[in-house]
Amino acid sequence: MAEAAYAKGLEGVVAAESEICRIDGEKGKLYYVGYSIEDLARHSNFEETTYLLLYGRLPSREEMEGFSGRMRSSRDLVPEILDMVRNFPRDAHPMELLQSVISYLSGYVRHKIQHSATCNCRDTLHQVVQLASVVAAWHRFHQDREYVPPRLDLSHGANFLYMIRGEEPDEYEGRVMDACLVLHAEHGFNASTFTARVVASTMSTCYSSISAAIGSLYGSLHGGANEKVMAMVEQIGGSDRAAQWVNRALDEKQKVMGMGHRVYKAKDPRAIIMEEFLLELSRRKNDTRYYDILKEVERAFRERMEEKGKPIYPNVDFFSGAVYNLLGIPKVLFTPIFAMSRVSGWLAHILEQRRDNRIYRPKSLYVGSAPREWTALEHR
Ligand SMILES: CC(C)(COP(=O)(O)OP(=O)(O)OC[C@H]1O[C@@H](n2cnc3c(N)ncnc32)[C@H](O)[C@@H]1OP(=O)(O)O)[C@@H](O)C(=O)NCCC(=O)NCCS
């Protein structure tokens, strides 16, 4: 049999069939199970989108009510989990906590863990729902404040804001937070989703798969770009300094964070929606400083790229950090928020992987030593 071609980083390799996500990078289009991200962000919510991802279709009104009720009733954390969050080393990053807490959770929920597609993780939804509660609890404890028990009458996003602030967000803020979770819920065979599927392909548990995926997302090449965008915006300080900053960064061959994408060759559709949220939130809060800086960075960057004949557009991370900032969320929570949203996509992929499973087992191209003589220790 001929040797398969070597593709570094598996670029261009098709590793599975999937019905979950379609990305048209040339046209800048994204679909979850056939529904455009624009429709989902504007008309759906995180709970319904989670249903769509897990069941492959939109729910009826009755199904939605039942599903939403199950998600909401899973929000509260048991005392053992709260103790773990409270006692976790204070200097540890919340992504390290999330990775650990997922494994710990499996011992504290009514979860009939089965190493198969019949596992009831789709019914209990504990991992999907409780990640948000854990992130909120971590934030409260870090501020030396008490845990805020969840409200069951709020959307997933609005409840998250409520749990971190201890006050109900206004209707628009709640809607934006929830829509941000929709925007990040799924994105094909990215590194963390692939990680989840590799673990699932060994018929390990969904908890192990999701904990591994969180580890993958924690890496700076995957989650975390929006944190760096915010650091850039703070460093620039004012829109009048943005062009100079961009030109110097590009002259010094630095990457401008939040720009460019491996798959999209047009503006990331999620960035377009995120930009609308940022503009509206900035107006409502009477603070367009971050929006102005980002738009000026985008303009200056585009101008430089056009000179080189190489258009590169903003990705989802370009505007999301500023949106979170206006919602009062600190930078350290940006990647954990990504995790508490993408967990729906991970679970959908885990279930899909198990339905028609074959363990992942690629090969490596051996470039090491030729066979050689063993040398006894005393002769080395
Ligand atoms: C996302 C990213 C890793 C995609 O990488 P990629 O598809 O491998 O693209 P490449 O790194 O090969 O970039 C192709 C060219 O565009 C340039 N480029 C790409 N993104 C750039 C950016 N953000 N700033 C400046 N130049 C950029 C590269 O320097 C390269 O130029 P060259 O051909 O002169 O060497 C890359 O665009 C990037 O690092 N962006 C910033 C980080 C970020 O926002 N990540 C979040 C992604 S959702």
Side-chain angles (χ1 to χ4, degrees):
M1 211 173 78
E3 277 294 319
Y6 162 47
K8 193 169 182 182
L10 298 183
E11 183 170 0
V13 173
V14 177
E17 289 181 319
S18 178
E19 296 177 355
I20 300 170
C21 181
R22 177 169 163 243
I23 306 170
D24 182 341
E26 292 299 325
K27 297 201 179 96
K29 290 286 185 193
L30 168 63
Y31 305 87
Y32 297 172
V33 200
Y35 295 98
S36 78
I37 194 65
E38 292 82 4
D39 277 344
L40 293 169
R42 295 198 176 111
H43 309 304
S44 185
N45 56 55
F46 184 68
E47 289 174 347
E48 188 181 51
T49 298
T50 299
Y51 187 102
L52 174 69
L53 292 169
L54 296 184
Y55 291 88
R57 61 178 176 79
L58 288 174
S60 66
R61 185 180 291 272
E62 204 182 357
E63 286 166 334
M64 189 60 230
E65 276 168 17
F67 187 76
S68 173
R70 269 192 283 138
M71 278 187 81
R72 291 177 189 210
S73 66
S74 293
R75 281 180 183 168
D76 207 5
L77 299 173
V78 295
E80 290 83 353
I81 299 292
L82 281 174
D83 286 345
M84 180 184 179
V85 178
R86 196 182 282 108
N87 297 326
F88 208 69
R90 213 177 156 83
D91 292 340
H93 193 279
M95 286 297 277
E96 290 163 338
L97 167 70
L98 288 192
Q99 198 178 25
S100 314
V101 90
I102 278 291
S103 307
Y104 197 60
L105 252 185
S106 65
Y108 286 98
V109 294
R110 294 180 312 281
H111 189 140
K112 171 172 64 66
I113 289 184
Q114 288 187 354
H115 302 246
S116 73
T118 56
C119 175
N120 71 344
C121 52
R122 199 166 66 168
D123 301 324
T124 60
L125 292 165
H126 275 97
Q127 302 167 88
V128 171
V129 178
Q130 297 214 326
L131 273 188
S133 306
V134 169
V135 174
W138 181 89
H139 177 68
R140 297 288 299 180
F141 295 152
H142 254 245
Q143 296 192 319
D144 296 320
R145 295 162 87 181
E146 280 307 303
Y147 169 66
V148 177
R151 285 249 310 258
L152 303 192
D153 57 326
L154 298 174
S155 72
H156 196 64
N159 177 62
F160 173 68
L161 288 180
Y162 169 71
M163 287 178 77
I164 58 173
R165 295 178 183 178
E167 280 169 22
E168 186 177 344
D170 73 34
E171 198 266 331
Y172 187 71
E173 288 181 315
R175 196 144 57 80
V176 167
M177 186 67 236
D178 202 67
C180 286
L181 300 179
V182 170
L183 290 179
H184 285 91
E186 169 54 22
H187 212 234
F189 261 51
N190 55 84
S192 59
T193 301
F194 187 55
T195 303
R197 288 189 74 130
V198 170
V199 177
S201 84
T202 71
M203 283 295 165
S204 183
T205 68
C206 49
Y207 285 85
S208 315
S209 300
I210 286 175
S211 152
I214 293 172
S216 180
L217 185 70
Y218 186 23
S220 62
L221 294 185
H222 191 359
N226 52 5
E227 212 177 311
K228 296 203 177 103
V229 174
M230 273 314 289
M232 169 184 84
V233 167
E234 281 161 6
Q235 200 190 346
I236 293 173
S239 57
D240 53 335
R241 291 194 285 278
Q244 191 191 12
W245 191 96
V246 169
N247 286 326
R248 197 176 49 228
L250 292 178
D251 289 344
E252 289 171 1
K253 305 255 171 279
Q254 281 178 39
K255 286 261 176 87
V256 176
M257 288 296 132
M259 288 288 173
H261 198 278
R262 171 64 60 82
V263 184
Y264 291 114
K265 302 303 165 213
K267 194 161 172 177
D268 181 333
R270 299 166 302 171
I272 296 172
I273 302 166
M274 208 54 105
E275 180 180 338
E276 288 171 17
F277 291 151
L278 177 60
L279 179 59
E280 183 57 25
L281 263 182
S282 306
R283 284 191 181 136
R284 285 173 185 243
K285 293 190 180 282
N286 235 344
D287 178 7
T288 59
R289 196 162 65 94
Y290 291 149
Y291 177 79
D292 295 341
I293 294 174
L294 286 168
K295 287 306 285 180
E296 190 53 20
V297 168
E298 184 185 3
R299 192 201 58 74
F301 187 84
R302 190 178 50 238
E303 209 170 278
R304 280 289 293 260
M305 290 297 145
E306 273 166 5
E307 280 166 21
K308 289 171 86 178
K310 190 163 58 175
I312 294 178
Y313 304 91
N315 60 52
V316 66
D317 290 321
F318 192 65
F319 296 105
S320 63
V323 167
Y324 295 151
N325 187 276
L326 285 179
L327 291 174
I329 299 170
K331 284 204 287 286
V332 69
L333 295 189
F334 291 180
T335 314
I337 288 173
F338 192 164
M340 67 188 228
S341 159
R342 185 59 57 84
V343 65
S344 292
W346 292 332
L347 195 52
H349 278 273
I350 292 164
L351 295 171
E352 186 178 64
Q353 180 65 40
R354 287 170 172 180
R355 274 202 297 276
D356 181 23
N357 186 52
R358 187 158 194 225
I359 190 168
Y360 286 100
R361 187 20 174 131
K363 293 196 294 189
S364 61
L365 183 65
Y366 181 69
V367 293
S369 165
R372 43 185 160 170
E373 290 290 320
W374 167 257
T375 316
L377 187 58
E378 57 272 28
H379 296 125
R380 275 178 243 156

